[in-house]
Amino acid sequence: MTYSGAVTVGGPADVHELQDLMISKVAVGPMDNNAYLLRCRATDEQLLIDAANDASTLLTLIGDDGIASVVTTHRHGDHWQALAEVVAATGARTYAGGDDADGIPVPTDVPLRDGDTVRVGNVELTARHLVGHTPGSIALVYDDPHGHPHVFTGDCLFPGGVGNTFKDPEAFARLLHDVETRIFDVLPDETWVYPGHGDDTTLGAERPHLPEWRARGW
């Protein structure tokens, strides 16, 4: 079946099958958070992005093979409600942006800085530090050698705009700058975007609207 990225809380996962990586997307919790399970096809090692809520759903998705790692994209509570239970059940290593680690109640084993790499089996992801939604938000970029890149943006980039900067113009300017210079300026239009809530998009769909976002200030 063709991957759409459209998921609902309580509904099935949608699976994006790439040559080296399988990406399973589910929606969980009262804020319709997205969680992403990445599975290396060569090794079957798995990594979870955002143990956001509903540990039972996430552990069922993970299955008996467990996960090696879980990455928390940022410190906001709706993105780590199930983290403690998932880590306790799987023994997974925890990753998060270094500047957000003190706001996550589960200890971060590996604090991430811009340009750091995270591996899931034979697959390598690159962390990009995006400031403004929180001090230490992290996006993860998978530059698929067989196709276009894929980027997991947490709450920093959505269809229609960057993440909430809480009416702080300086935070908005910084977030837009980081998203432009570290995502749009270095990745092609075909790049698939997996956000922390809601539907997916591509950089090509959003790029024409960057001046509009800057003008409106959110």
Side-chain angles (χ1 to χ4, degrees):
M1 294 180 63
T2 301
Y3 174 81
S4 71
V7 292
T8 58
V9 175
D14 198 7
V15 182
H16 205 168
E17 298 195 22
L18 310 179
Q19 186 166 331
D20 295 337
L21 187 69
M22 290 183 61
I23 302 167
S24 299
K25 176 181 180 179
V26 293
V28 293
M31 297 184 70
D32 290 354
N33 286 75
N34 295 326
Y36 300 94
L37 181 68
L38 280 54
R39 185 182 185 97
C40 171
R41 286 182 174 271
T43 67
D44 288 330
E45 184 171 293
Q46 297 190 121
L47 174 150
L48 182 68
I49 299 175
D50 282 346
N53 209 304
D54 194 356
S56 62
T57 292
L58 298 179
L59 291 171
T60 298
L61 179 69
I62 290 164
D64 294 337
D65 289 340
I67 51 172
S69 310
V70 56
V71 179
T72 302
T73 58
H74 63 288
R75 69 195 304 164
H76 288 159
D78 59 309
H79 289 260
W80 48 253
Q81 292 297 313
L83 182 59
E85 191 170 343
V86 167
V87 169
T90 63
R93 292 186 305 275
T94 55
Y95 294 74
D99 293 330
D100 269 11
D102 63 353
I104 300 169
V106 177
T108 296
D109 297 323
V110 184
L112 295 171
R113 301 296 178 186
D114 187 64
D116 287 350
T117 57
V118 180
R119 299 192 66 86
V120 50
N122 295 342
V123 170
E124 185 174 277
L125 309 167
T126 301
R128 303 314 311 255
H129 182 199
L130 307 173
V131 180
H133 182 66
T134 65
S137 289
I138 291 291
L140 292 176
V141 178
Y142 170 49
D143 193 358
D144 186 353
H146 310 289
H148 55 73
H150 300 255
V151 56
F152 302 86
T153 56
D155 283 1
C156 288
L157 178 63
F158 296 97
V162 296
N164 189 353
T165 51
F166 311 100
K167 300 183 179 180
D168 181 337
E170 290 186 4
F172 168 76
R174 177 62 189 272
L175 180 56
L176 186 61
H177 172 271
D178 284 1
V179 166
E180 285 187 305
T181 59
R182 294 179 173 176
I183 302 295
F184 281 97
D185 287 356
V186 296
L187 298 172
D189 284 351
E190 296 78 13
T191 302
W192 197 278
V193 176
Y194 306 81
H197 305 262
D199 292 341
D200 299 354
T201 187
T202 64
L203 292 187
E206 306 305 322
R207 193 184 304 274
H209 302 289
L210 287 167
E212 171 192 335
W213 302 350
R214 183 178 294 104
R216 76 188 185 194
W218 57 274

